[in-house]
Amino acid sequence: MTLLQEARTKLRQLAATYKWNENEKVHIVSAHDLTPAEAIGKPDRDDYPLLTGKEVMMEAHFRGSAGQAFTDRPGRFEGTLGEVLQLPLDTNFRRAVFVATLNAVLRNLQQIKATVHCKDSEPALCAQKLPAYIQMRYGQPKIAFIGLQPGLIQALKSAGFDLLVTDLNPDNIGHIRCGVRIEDASLNAEHVRWADIVLATGSVLVNDTYQELQQGKPVIYYGVTAAGLAKLFDLPRICFCGR
């Protein structure tokens, strides 16, 4: 059973605990992809994945609460919670709908916070907070950074951390970004063996590649995508300025 399949089981159990009729209209879920301006506003730099067109943010609404998840497959969905729970988790679009819905539901239950991406000046503020967070908990570790997030990488590099970075976007692989050469994600496991800690995009939980990161090193997930999964499975997560 994959992590998302386990999460679906847990979400069904929550629905039973709260005695929700999953197919009632009150439990409707509406999900759609956001424009870059809706997702991240006008940040201090123009190289965030949300602005370069390679990824979009899926946003789901459940009983007035919003949850988000990154995806490379945009689209729209509207249906009941029960219909979300019946979705085959076989495409990036459907997985994003499920994860965004999970985040919205747990946000509605006040079990998680920071389920909506930060905007405008907030991504830069988030990046500023990261080096001190790492230093306070881990000293000056070697870092395997999974998924290109330029603000965070720039902040870590400027603070003197030694890091290796991988990404799935072929437009980034082999190029220098933020003073670091971006390597192919096929090197994730090798980089983790080299590192002391791992900083990973929550997308690895969604696409089920997180297992190769489990090598006895601390793994910290960043961003809004991992919000609900981190709560359900007690995983370390940072999202300093999420809304």
Side-chain angles (χ1 to χ4, degrees), residues 20 22 26-30 60-67 80-81 100-101 103-109:
W20 291 337
E22 298 169 5
V26 71
H27 296 138
I28 201 78
V29 173
S30 174
H61 292 265
F62 177 77
R63 303 179 76 186
S65 297
T80 63
L81 178 59
T101 299
N103 289 341
V105 171
L106 293 183
R107 178 66 176 265
N108 183 261
L109 294 175

Side-chain angles (χ1 to χ4, degrees), residues 104-152:
V105 171
L106 293 183
R107 178 66 176 265
N108 183 261
L109 294 175
Q110 299 184 345
Q111 293 190 14
I112 57 175
K113 299 178 180 179
T115 59
V116 174
H117 201 286
C118 55
K119 299 176 71 172
D120 300 325
S121 63
E122 293 167 337
L125 178 60
C126 173
Q128 292 172 14
K129 293 175 178 287
L130 181 59
Y133 173 91
I134 297 298
Q135 289 166 340
M136 182 180 301
R137 288 161 178 77
Y138 305 103
Q140 199 76 8
K142 295 184 296 184
I143 302 172
F145 200 102
I146 314 298
L148 177 60
Q149 211 295 344
L152 300 183

